[in-house]
Amino acid sequence: VFGATVARCQNFDCDLREYKAGQGLSASMTGGGLQLTWQGERGQTLRATFVVTGHQPVVRELAVRKGNGGWIVLAANLTPEFDVVTGHRRIARAQMSMLQRLKISLTPEILEKETWNTFWDAPLDVPGVNHSNTPEDLPRSPTEIGRAKAIYSIGGCAVKTDGARLEVTFPGLSMGIFAGQLKFTVYKGSNLLRQEAIAKTEEKLVAYKYNAGLKGFAIDKVKAVKWQDTARSWQKYEFGGGPNTDPVGLRARNRLAIVEAQGGSLAILPAPHKFFFAREIEVNLGWVWYRKDDEKTFSAGIRQAEHEEGYRPYGNSQAVWDRRVTQSRSYLGNFALYNAPPGTWQHMPVYYYLSAAGVEATQQAVLAYTHDD
């Protein structure tokens, strides 16, 4: 199969021209799907299998093996999930004032360029907080806000070897005003799997945020979703409640949720240093989520909040209370989101860590990547 330019797999083709077989990092067409196998950490081997069903990409299996032991299936038959919320980028009063002080002429070209450097903006706050730092042309309108989920029209994929990594790209992703591709990446010597939407828009002055994850975890195949709260206590959800209409945001320490499977664990986390747009304060807004979709399945992933939250005000006199309430509210005008200049490729990743170990050992392995952040 590797001698062919294109390998056919049921209803989708996979282009293998840029794939190079190597020890500890391999791709093959197996059982009607594309299977990646790679060498991980601590004597573990990882496996991920992908298929396309009705133009929808499906992660047919995520599995791990320790040494020469049997394969532990952590999850199966999962569909990638992405959604975006978009707003209109504005330039702030404080920024325009600084440009004027520097005697820079406020031409349309300068204003468009400098709008992308705005710090005091909160495109999803309607009508918006109006003070000396925030944009001039408030209030915002609800019609500025766009919401879209990723839909797929996948006809094939391409596999590429890039040093010690393998990349699998599925063209045919669209998400409202964005269009592009879905990509999975694995790394030799690491238990990480990266899933990302890579997409662009031609609309002007777009600011956005995204959520991402996997849908279709089988409840009867897992023990719980676990996380540490901000007080460092372990919490868990065992799916005893009713289905959720919306994702349940978890204010988890280290921005980390872990699916405890039978015999192993699957950790979920955002890209550590590129997930956060400019903010004034560091309140934990709940960066991971789960959602019980029905009595048999659930979803899990990462999320970005739509609004800032100020510090909880407190005081020993009415004057102190009033001052701190005002201060807390003032932060709401700064939740800038990401920039998406027309034609630029936007990367929207989520990471999974596949492990043959228990939840706490998996947590420590993940924190080695984020330096215990």
Side-chain angles (χ1 to χ4, degrees):
V1 71
F2 298 115
T5 298
V6 174
R8 181 168 296 278
C9 176
Q10 290 187 352
N11 63 331
F12 82 105
D13 297 327
C14 208
D15 185 341
L16 299 170
R17 285 174 294 184
E18 294 190 79
Y19 166 69
K20 296 179 182 179
Q23 186 176 5
L25 197 63
S26 67
S28 62
M29 305 303 292
T30 303
L34 172 68
Q35 185 176 97
L36 305 184
T37 305
W38 71 103
Q39 174 190 326
E41 306 159 30
R42 302 173 182 84
Q44 297 178 73
T45 305
L46 299 311
R47 187 171 73 191
T49 306
F50 307 94
V51 297
V52 174
T53 303
H55 301 290
Q56 166 75 49
V58 176
V59 182
R60 187 162 69 182
E61 183 184 81
L62 295 175
V64 59
R65 180 173 66 186
K66 190 171 183 179
N68 294 321
W71 285 100
I72 301 167
V73 177
L74 302 175
N77 300 317
L78 307 170
T79 55
E81 187 170 295
F82 291 93
D83 66 84
V84 291
V85 184
T86 59
H88 180 76
R89 169 69 73 233
R90 287 171 164 82
I91 193 168
R93 285 191 182 97
Q95 196 173 353
M96 292 183 66
S97 175
M98 183 59 68
L99 292 171
Q100 290 169 337
R101 287 171 60 187
L102 293 171
K103 302 187 184 306
I104 295 175
S105 178
L106 300 182
T107 64
E109 294 77 17
I110 288 294
L111 287 176
E112 182 173 350
K113 176 184 175 182
E114 294 300 326
T115 296
W116 297 115
N117 297 323
T118 296
F119 180 71
W120 278 95
D121 194 12
L124 304 183
D125 278 349
V126 178
V129 177
N130 201 334
H131 60 69
S132 59
N133 285 325
T134 53
E136 265 186 341
D137 56 339
L138 296 179
R140 298 182 181 91
S141 166
T143 59
E144 298 177 19
I145 312 302
R147 299 177 184 275
K149 292 184 178 294
I151 57 176
Y152 303 94
S153 181
I154 306 297
C157 72
V159 181
K160 178 182 178 180
T161 302
D162 184 2
R165 69 179 66 184
L166 277 180
E167 301 173 346
V168 182
T169 302
F170 295 90
L173 175 149
S174 61
M175 191 159 42
I177 61 174
F178 289 94
Q181 58 201 18
L182 171 69
K183 179 185 281 189
F184 290 92
T185 305
V186 302
Y187 313 84
K188 182 179 178 180
S190 169
N191 289 29
L192 289 172
L193 168 69
R194 176 181 170 109
Q195 168 193 314
E196 62 184 321
I198 305 174
K200 61 184 178 179
T201 179
E202 299 302 329
E203 299 288 329
K204 292 184 176 181
L205 295 176
V206 172
Y208 77 97
K209 53 140 284 191
Y210 76 95
N211 305 317
L214 287 168
K215 179 179 180 179
F217 288 93
I219 291 174
D220 63 353
K221 302 296 184 182
V222 304
K223 297 179 180 178
V225 172
K226 292 188 175 181
W227 67 97
Q228 264 192 323
D229 64 23
T230 55
R232 304 177 189 240
S233 295
W234 280 100
Q235 305 292 340
K236 63 181 178 179
Y237 179 61
E238 297 178 322
F239 306 101
N244 305 117
T245 303
D246 300 306
V248 178
L250 304 175
R251 298 188 188 235
R253 183 173 176 81
N254 310 119
R255 305 176 293 279
L256 180 62
I258 303 175
V259 177
E260 185 179 26
Q262 306 289 344
S265 305
L266 181 71
I268 304 166
L269 66 154
H273 301 294
K274 297 186 72 173
F275 190 63
F276 296 101
F277 35 79
R279 294 175 66 203
E280 185 76 359
I281 56 177
E282 66 278 1
V283 175
N284 188 326
L285 299 177
W287 308 109
V288 287
W289 60 271
Y290 71 81
R291 184 186 64 234
K292 183 178 179 181
D293 296 309
D294 51 48
E295 293 303 321
K296 294 183 178 181
T297 64
F298 72 97
S299 306
I302 61 170
R303 65 183 292 273
Q304 293 174 322
E306 296 192 15
H307 306 280
E308 186 61 278
E309 292 182 13
Y311 293 128
R312 304 295 182 261
Y314 65 94
N316 54 13
S317 70
Q318 189 60 49
V320 174
W321 270 107
D322 291 344
R323 175 169 60 83
R324 287 178 171 158
V325 167
T326 299
Q327 180 187 45
S328 180
R329 287 174 175 167
S330 71
Y331 294 129
L332 304 182
N334 179 21
F335 205 63
L337 311 184
Y338 290 127
N339 287 332
T344 60
W345 289 106
Q346 300 296 310
H347 291 250
M348 309 176 203
V350 52
Y351 282 95
Y352 308 102
Y353 185 94
L354 288 64
S355 174
V359 167
E360 294 192 25
T362 298
Q363 179 208 42
Q364 292 305 307
V366 171
L367 294 184
Y369 287 94
T370 60
H371 301 283
D372 298 316
D373 183 10

